[in-house]
Amino acid sequence: MESSVSSEQVQQKVHQESEHTHDVQGTSLFGFIVFLLSESVIFLSFFAGYIALKTTTPDWLPPGVEGLETHDPLINTIVLVSSSFVIYFAEEALKKNKLTLFRLLWLLTSAMGIYFLVGQAIEWRGLPFGFTSGAFGGTFYLLTGFHGLHVLTGILLQFLMLARSFFPGNYTKGHTGVTEVSLFWHFVDVIWIILFCLIYVWQ
Amino acid sequence: MTNIPVEGIGIPGEKPKFQPPPGWKRYFSFSTDHKVIGIQYLVTSFTFFLIGGFLAMIIRAELITPESDLIDRTLYNSMFTMHGTIMIFLWIFPSLVGLSNYLVPLMIGARDMAFPRLNAAAFWLIPVVGILLMASFFLPDGTAQAGWWVYPPVSLQNPGGHLISGQAVWILAVAISGISSIMGAVNFVATIVKMRAPGMTFFRMPVFVWTVLSAQLIQLTALPALTAGAVMLLFDLTVGTSFFNSAKGGNPVLFQHFFWFYSHPAVYVMALPAFGIFSEVIPVYARKPLFGYKVVAVSSLLIAGVSLLVWVHHMFTSGTPGWMRMIFMLSSMCVGVPTGIKIFAWTATLWKGKIRLQTPMLFALGAVLMFLFAGITGIMLASVPIDIHVNNTYFVVGHFHYVVYGTVTMGLFAGIYHWFPKMTGRMYYEGLGVLHFWLAFIGTNLNFLPMHPLGLQGMLRRVSSYDPEYAFWNVLASLGAFLLGISTLPFILNLLGAWVQGEKAPDNPWRAIGLEWLVSSPPPIENFAEIPIVVSEPYGYGKDEPLVENAAAVRGE
Ligand code: HEM
Ligand SMILES: [Cu+2]
């Protein structure tokens, strides 16, 4: 058969070639950034929806609701934003191969994320309106809930990376997973800042 | 010498990825080979094309008489809603993704997609979507009935009061198909940007790859908006929030923005790869380089960009203020420019070419012709005064079927015939192919041309009965539809017959230029024995320059 190839030949070639023509980690990171691009469109859509509803709905706030308390959410914001710096230093530590420092800072990030989530849960419990209280209630819980889901995902991914750091084999070829998780964390942070301005500052 | 197992189970000694099992079983397995996945997509979506087509036959049988006598009003609503939904979400999108899946890695000289497992997972969501939608026929209140655009307040009606309504299932299914598409889009963009063979610069990529890239960029930047809208709609429908429910202070027009911000560009997600197919097919059968290759390539990105800015032309009659109508009328007409460039380039490619009218070329030319017509009615619809007159009439239905059937579906057929020998290693039967073309071409025009006068005379869409004065054109349209239904028979016969016992296909039956034609038919697992080193532009017909430096090694010789 003229169009056929011997399998030994292919096998050899595959292993010579695939290394340098396909930069697996670069592709993975790139794909992840592309994914974040589409995530940001979802958030942008929700933001656009929030603005549209807020500016066109006659009775924006449900009856009996004055507005939102901003003190606790502000503290929450500060904690979440600071965690972005912590995760940055964790990543730096890993690059310098200081594995213990990396694990400590990495755990600290997760702890700050958990603090944020718990704070938000407490806030939710105290609110005098629910998901079905008009357009305001709906968008409020939708936005904060969808963001909260991302924080939770981020924390779970952080635990995954932490567990992986105990299997050094995975850490020899760069740390794409860690870079991606911290990118995700920064992303979730930026989204929160916009969300905070939109919901809490612009009342 | 042991042969590379084309029908086999992969390369001995490779650590087992998800290599396909031998023979036909591979198409029923969780394989990560982009070629297997491509064919899985194509076969699955074609099955749904038949189901969607069957529903269209019922619709047109109902409309052959002015009275509503075949099916009742509710069932009619189900029919057009499911027909539209199946055709868009289970035929056009997945079949184009399937073809792209098969071709893109081959065309850019990669061994597979960037994320093979993600690729397989994205495919397996499609049957889930299909099963969900089909299952909704058996719900107590039947399927969704609000049309494929699911406008509230109609889509928020739930007369039976069941939590699991056809409409809720519909939204869930479409959301899942959206997730599948996003996974696919990430994969395509990463593959095309990151996995091109050495020497394959952007301006050496075949136009098909450019169009896939542009289409997938649209998926990434616009589809999430629909997902967001769908999530909100689902909450409105099931737990009683009031995002779009005007009775509770919501804003139904907001939903239309979410919907069309995606669904207008979605038209180009369908059309762009079809344009890519024309750009591949026409030069081969005219034996000339594609005229203005670089401009054609870049115009795909332009189309994608502009398409994101025109969605309000679907909402001219939704209380949109005059200044906004003006802006969106103008921006819509701008899409005509890059599209016109493409049509011009195809025509110029034909000019003084040695044209061979084989089946793929017939389909490509027929599709371009019908796209020309669809483009003209499209520009008409983009102008506010005309749209106010024909909005929600059969004129619109006629226009978009020239796009989705005349252009995209016919374009897909062109592509399937053109690459069939590559995919299966067999030649299709030319006679049956030509028969398929003429039945489809006449059927499409007979079916959808009469819809234009009907719309201009004021016949509304989504009605199961109409004034007898519209009967003449409706009978013609129904006859055309049945002809279209019949036209799929030679297609099925052709492909099944050829696949089983067609003549063996050579590696490059059309003497075409392109990396996919360098390797055997069908290509071996991992595509290339050695990664090609690309040294020239595609479409060098008549120029006699080599495409790659290491052709023999790529083939494994
Ligand atoms: C045999 C071929 C086909 C026939 C005879 C046909 C016929 C029809 C008719 C008569 C309607 C209007 C229903 C109404 O408004 O009352 C319709 C709607 C529609 N068709 Fe087709 N069609 C065909 C193929 C396709 C294809 C290939 C696609 C897309 C890929 C498609 C997509 C749609 C969509 C999106 C709608 C709108 C449904 C709605 O109003 O909710 N159709 N079709
Ligand atoms: Cu449009």
Side-chain angles (χ1 to χ4, degrees):
Chain A
M1 273 213 257
E2 27 9 303
S3 58
S4 305
V5 194
S6 99
S7 55
E8 291 92 318
Q9 253 174 324
V10 170
Q11 198 185 341
Q12 264 183 6
K13 297 258 164 69
V14 166
H15 290 286
Q16 288 163 8
E17 295 281 327
S18 44
E19 298 302 332
H20 65 90
T21 52
H22 179 192
D23 159 21
V24 179
Q25 286 165 8
T27 308
S28 162
L29 187 62
F30 180 80
F32 193 76
I33 292 170
V34 171
F35 165 72
L36 285 186
L37 175 75
S38 70
E39 280 264 278
S40 43
V41 179
I42 295 205
F43 277 109
L44 276 180
S45 310
F46 283 147
F47 294 158
Y50 184 88
I51 295 171
L53 284 170
K54 181 173 158 79
T55 49
T56 59
T57 308
D59 306 309
W60 174 239
L61 294 179
V65 177
E66 291 298 304
L68 289 162
E69 155 66 38
T70 52
H71 180 264
D72 292 353
L74 186 64
I75 294 179
N76 244 349
T77 307
I78 293 169
V79 171
L80 194 66
V81 173
S82 327
S83 73
S84 246
F85 293 95
V86 178
I87 203 168
Y88 171 78
F89 287 115
E91 223 187 319
E92 288 297 300
L94 188 64
K95 278 186 196 149
K96 293 183 194 121
N97 261 327
K98 296 179 186 161
L99 209 53
T100 320
L101 183 62
F102 160 73
R103 288 185 187 129
L104 276 176
L105 290 173
W106 195 252
L107 255 178
L108 182 59
T109 315
S110 310
M112 291 164 95
I114 293 171
Y115 175 91
F116 175 86
L117 276 188
V118 173
Q120 194 166 55
I122 294 172
E123 187 199 351
W124 275 19
R125 279 190 55 191
L127 289 174
F129 57 89
F131 193 29
T132 53
S133 312
F136 173 73
T139 42
F140 174 82
Y141 284 101
L142 186 71
L143 260 64
T144 53
F146 192 59
H147 176 266
L149 212 60
H150 279 74
V151 178
L152 186 66
T153 312
I155 294 168
L156 292 178
L157 290 175
Q158 284 161 8
F159 284 148
L160 195 71
M161 290 302 130
L162 189 67
R164 264 184 43 174
S165 79
F166 289 96
F167 298 92
N170 289 320
Y171 273 65
T172 49
K173 277 190 178 178
H175 315 285
T176 322
V178 168
T179 313
E180 285 168 2
V181 172
S182 84
L183 207 64
F184 185 73
W185 199 249
H186 296 312
F187 170 77
V188 170
D189 254 13
V190 172
I191 293 290
W192 177 258
I193 295 173
I194 303 174
L195 207 158
F196 184 78
C197 294
L198 212 56
I199 297 187
Y200 292 91
V201 180
W202 179 44
Q203 288 204 22
Chain B
M1 176 166 126
T2 36
N3 286 331
I4 175 86
V6 170
E7 297 284 337
I9 44 168
I11 298 149
E14 267 276 78
K15 64 176 171 196
K17 288 197 288 191
F18 286 98
Q19 295 290 18
W24 55 270
K25 282 192 193 135
R26 66 171 64 189
Y27 299 115
F28 294 89
S29 68
F30 186 88
S31 166
T32 54
D33 180 351
H34 72 98
K35 299 185 288 301
V36 174
I37 295 175
I39 291 184
Q40 284 174 329
Y41 264 113
L42 282 168
V43 172
T44 312
S45 60
F46 185 71
T47 314
F48 284 109
F49 176 65
L50 295 180
I51 298 175
F54 176 69
L55 300 184
M57 296 302 118
I58 299 179
I59 296 177
R60 280 312 329 175
E62 166 63 66
L63 293 177
I64 204 165
T65 56
E67 304 81 33
S68 180
D69 43 12
L70 183 67
I71 49 179
D72 64 26
R73 181 70 236 204
T74 330
L75 195 55
Y76 187 84
N77 292 348
S78 285
M79 288 295 135
F80 71 70
T81 301
M82 296 309 270
H83 161 73
T85 309
I86 289 172
M87 286 298 194
I88 300 282
F89 294 102
L90 292 170
W91 158 242
I92 292 267
F93 281 157
S95 55
L96 288 168
V97 169
L99 194 68
S100 314
N101 232 303
Y102 197 97
L103 292 175
V104 164
L106 281 167
M107 284 180 158
I108 62 171
R111 295 196 186 281
D112 204 331
M113 297 283 283
F115 310 112
R117 283 181 212 189
L118 188 70
N119 200 20
F123 163 71
W124 284 102
L125 287 179
I126 296 296
V128 175
V129 175
I131 290 167
L132 273 178
L133 282 177
M134 290 300 134
S136 71
F137 274 105
F138 302 102
L139 289 173
D141 298 323
T143 69
Q145 298 179 13
W148 86 290
W149 64 18
V150 284
Y151 278 8
V154 181
S155 55
L156 292 179
Q157 287 168 2
N158 186 1
H162 302 279
L163 180 64
I164 302 182
S165 61
Q167 196 63 58
V169 172
W170 188 100
I171 300 172
L172 191 68
V174 168
I176 296 175
S177 103
I179 292 169
S180 160
S181 298
I182 297 270
M183 288 157 71
V186 169
N187 215 342
F188 276 115
V189 173
T191 306
I192 295 171
V193 174
K194 284 291 193 178
M195 308 244 307
R196 280 167 294 126
M200 173 68 74
T201 58
F202 274 106
F203 279 118
R204 281 183 186 160
M205 288 193 321
V207 169
F208 183 75
V209 181
W210 274 94
T211 56
V212 171
L213 179 65
S214 314
Q216 297 299 331
L217 284 173
I218 296 179
Q219 292 287 49
L220 281 172
T221 47
L223 182 52
L226 178 68
T227 314
V231 168
M232 293 160 96
L233 191 65
L234 194 60
F235 280 132
D236 272 6
L237 188 64
T238 52
V239 303
T241 50
S242 44
F243 300 112
F244 309 129
N245 191 342
S246 53
K248 294 197 211 157
N251 183 350
V253 176
L254 179 62
F255 179 81
Q256 297 189 15
H257 283 286
F258 281 131
F259 182 82
W260 288 114
F261 180 73
Y262 172 63
S263 292
H264 176 77
V267 173
Y268 294 95
V269 177
M270 309 173 205
L272 279 168
F275 298 166
I277 295 172
F278 306 152
S279 309
E280 297 306 312
V281 167
I282 290 176
V284 177
Y285 298 85
R287 306 234 57 84
K288 276 183 58 193
L290 181 68
F291 183 87
Y293 158 66
K294 284 187 186 170
V295 184
V296 174
V298 173
S299 70
S300 311
L301 278 179
L302 276 179
I303 292 176
V306 180
S307 77
L308 291 171
L309 307 171
V310 304
W311 76 97
V312 176
H313 67 212
H314 295 273
M315 301 167 60
F316 284 154
T317 56
S318 307
T320 306
W323 61 269
M324 216 190 215
R325 286 169 165 182
M326 269 341 255
I327 292 177
F328 281 95
M329 173 163 113
L330 293 176
S331 65
S332 302
M333 292 184 173
C334 290
V335 184
V337 178
T339 329
I341 290 178
K342 280 198 153 71
I343 297 190
F344 177 74
W346 297 323
T347 321
T349 307
L350 290 171
W351 185 255
K352 292 192 175 160
K354 293 195 206 67
I355 296 172
R356 298 183 288 178
L357 282 181
Q358 275 145 314
T359 308
M361 182 66 155
L362 281 176
F363 270 100
L365 294 182
V368 171
L369 208 65
M370 288 190 277
F371 176 60
L372 197 61
F373 184 74
I376 292 168
T377 55
I379 299 276
M380 288 168 74
L381 285 169
S383 56
V384 177
I386 300 184
D387 185 67
I388 289 174
H389 178 59
V390 295
N391 170 57
N392 234 353
T393 69
Y394 261 88
F395 192 87
V396 178
V397 182
H399 157 73
F400 77 70
H401 279 87
Y402 264 83
V403 179
V404 290
Y405 208 106
T407 311
V408 187
T409 302
M410 298 279 269
L412 263 161
F413 290 148
I416 290 172
Y417 281 112
H418 182 63
W419 282 288
F420 182 81
K422 182 50 66 186
M423 294 180 183
T424 61
R426 308 279 181 161
M427 298 303 287
Y428 63 83
Y429 302 106
E430 192 62 47
L432 279 173
V434 173
L435 177 69
H436 175 206
F437 168 74
W438 283 111
L439 289 178
F441 186 73
I442 298 170
T444 310
N445 287 295
L446 192 60
N447 189 173
F448 303 119
L449 199 63
M451 293 184 178
H452 296 85
L454 277 177
L456 289 173
Q457 289 161 21
M459 177 170 163
L460 292 181
R461 64 191 291 202
R462 296 178 180 166
V463 290
S464 59
S465 60
Y466 51 83
D467 193 293
E469 69 170 299
Y470 299 130
F472 173 70
W473 293 116
N474 270 305
V475 172
L476 281 191
S478 290
L479 292 180
F482 301 145
L483 198 60
L484 265 187
I486 294 169
S487 78
T488 41
L489 293 180
F491 182 61
I492 299 172
L493 213 67
N494 198 348
L495 297 201
L496 284 184
W499 208 333
V500 175
Q501 52 169 29
E503 200 187 315
K504 281 244 186 295
D507 294 350
N508 188 358
W510 317 125
R511 292 187 294 122
I513 297 176
L515 295 180
E516 78 272 29
W517 302 106
L518 282 180
V519 291
S520 65
S521 303
I525 287 166
E526 308 245 316
N527 301 344
F528 307 101
E530 189 174 285
I531 292 292
I533 299 168
V534 182
V535 291
S536 70
E537 271 187 20
Y539 311 112
Y541 295 98
K543 284 188 183 160
D544 239 14
E545 55 189 8
L547 179 64
V548 298
E549 199 178 276
N550 51 343
V554 169
R555 273 194 293 271
E557 285 160 4

